[in-house]
């Protein structure tokens, strides 16, 4: 299975909003409402930021939000802060009962 | 506090074997799905395998099917990954992670253990 498609990089200034897209197929994103987003700082383990398309685990700021349309999911970060600079990965459950990650997006806060 | 601690990584020759362990604490290990995810140097995350709480359901990525075996010991709160016929492309940091929401989201991760495959 090919990885979900994410832009390699996005950037924004503090206070601005950015959106990261994640495109799959009807066998993954399009077929299930089980899209997750993970944040990973250099040298650290990933951290769950969004699950089941748009739900936030406790402790994750409400500046982080998720959505889905068809086979494309999106992560939006509003009120960008310096500590948001990290790599972001989307993930989806698939029809083969596996998980599939996106290639990752490097977020730069200018 | 939920904690996951991987161990067992190291240097192995191509074609060799390695067994990774993940010690869990701070939660009831026996009721959760558990996963292995890896990350090659400078690359993205790749899902490897998952196991249901009672081992009644196990799934693998195509890239490791037939070579890797996931298992668990609920009495010892430990997850395992037996890796055989290792290849250069298996070189990565291996993370264990806890599955929630029907095992489709990974809400707790260990710090990872590094596997190096080289002659």
């Amino acid at each position: 299975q090919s990885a979900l498609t994410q832009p390699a990089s996005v950037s924004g200034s503090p206070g601005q909003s950015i959106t990261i897209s994640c495109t799959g197929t009807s066998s993954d994103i399009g077929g299930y409402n089980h899209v997750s987003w993970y944040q990973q700082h250099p040298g650290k383990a990933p951290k769950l930021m969004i699950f089941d398309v748009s739900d936030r685990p406790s402790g994750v700021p409400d500046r982080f939000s998720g959505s889905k349309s068809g086979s494309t999911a999106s992560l939006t970060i509003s009120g960008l802060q310096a500590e948001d600079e990290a790599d972001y990965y989307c993930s989806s459950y698939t029809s083969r009962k596996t998980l599939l990650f996106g290639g990752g997006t490097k977020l730069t806060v200018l | 506090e939920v904690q996951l601690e991987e161990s067992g990584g190291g240097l192995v020759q191509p074609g060799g074997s390695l067994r990774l362990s993940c010690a869990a604490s701070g939660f009831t290990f026996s009721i959760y799905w558990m996963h292995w995810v890896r990350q090659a140097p400078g690359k993205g995350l790749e899902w490897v395998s998952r196991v249901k709480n009672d081992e009644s359901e196990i799934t693998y990525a195509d890239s490791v099917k037939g070579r890797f075996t996931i298992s668990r010991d609920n009495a010892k709160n430990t997850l395992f990954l037996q890796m055989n016929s290792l290849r250069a492309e298996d070189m990565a940091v291996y993370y264990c992670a806890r599955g929630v929401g029907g095992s489709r989201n990974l809400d707790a991760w260990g710090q990872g253990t590094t596997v190096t495959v080289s002659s």
Side-chain angles (χ1 to χ4, degrees), chain A residues 21-32:
Chain A
S21 62
C22 173
T23 302
T25 69
S26 59
S27 296
D28 38 71
I29 293 176
Y32 304 92

Side-chain angles (χ1 to χ4, degrees), chain B residues 80-94:
Chain B
F80 302 102
L81 185 67
Q82 177 66 43
M83 304 186 296
N84 298 332
S85 303
L86 282 161
R87 307 166 179 168
E89 54 264 36
D90 295 319
M91 188 160 63
V93 174
Y94 283 73

Side-chain angles (χ1 to χ4, degrees), chain A residues 27-101:
Chain A
S27 296
D28 38 71
I29 293 176
Y32 304 92
N33 287 323
H34 296 299
V35 177
S36 306
W37 289 90
Y38 301 88
Q39 177 191 64
Q40 186 179 36
H41 287 107
K44 301 295 186 181
K47 175 186 176 183
L48 180 66
M49 304 301 285
I50 295 288
F51 67 96
D52 290 347
V53 177
S54 58
D55 291 337
R56 270 188 316 275
S58 61
V60 173
D62 60 5
R63 303 185 294 104
F64 291 82
S65 62
S67 62
K68 190 187 90 166
S69 176
S71 297
T72 297
S74 298
L75 171 71
T76 298
I77 308 174
S78 58
L80 210 54
Q81 299 182 3
E83 60 260 35
D84 298 334
E85 184 163 294
D87 293 327
Y88 290 85
Y89 295 90
C90 60
S91 170
S92 175
Y93 184 70
T94 82
S95 59
R96 300 177 67 188
K97 299 184 178 181
T98 64
L99 293 183
L100 186 62
F101 282 97

Side-chain angles (χ1 to χ4, degrees), chain A residues 34 36 38 40 44-46 48 51-52 89 93 96-99 101 103, chain B residues 35 39 43-45 47 50 57 59 62 95 104-107 109-111:
Chain A
H34 296 299
S36 306
Y38 301 88
Q40 186 179 36
K44 301 295 186 181
L48 180 66
F51 67 96
D52 290 347
Y89 295 90
Y93 184 70
R96 300 177 67 188
K97 299 184 178 181
T98 64
L99 293 183
F101 282 97
Chain B
H35 298 244
Q39 187 169 33
K43 302 297 184 181
L45 301 173
W47 179 83
R50 69 171 188 165
E57 187 172 339
T59 319
D62 287 345
Y95 296 100
R104 290 140 187 177
N105 310 284
L106 307 178
D107 75 331
W109 297 64
Q111 286 306 302

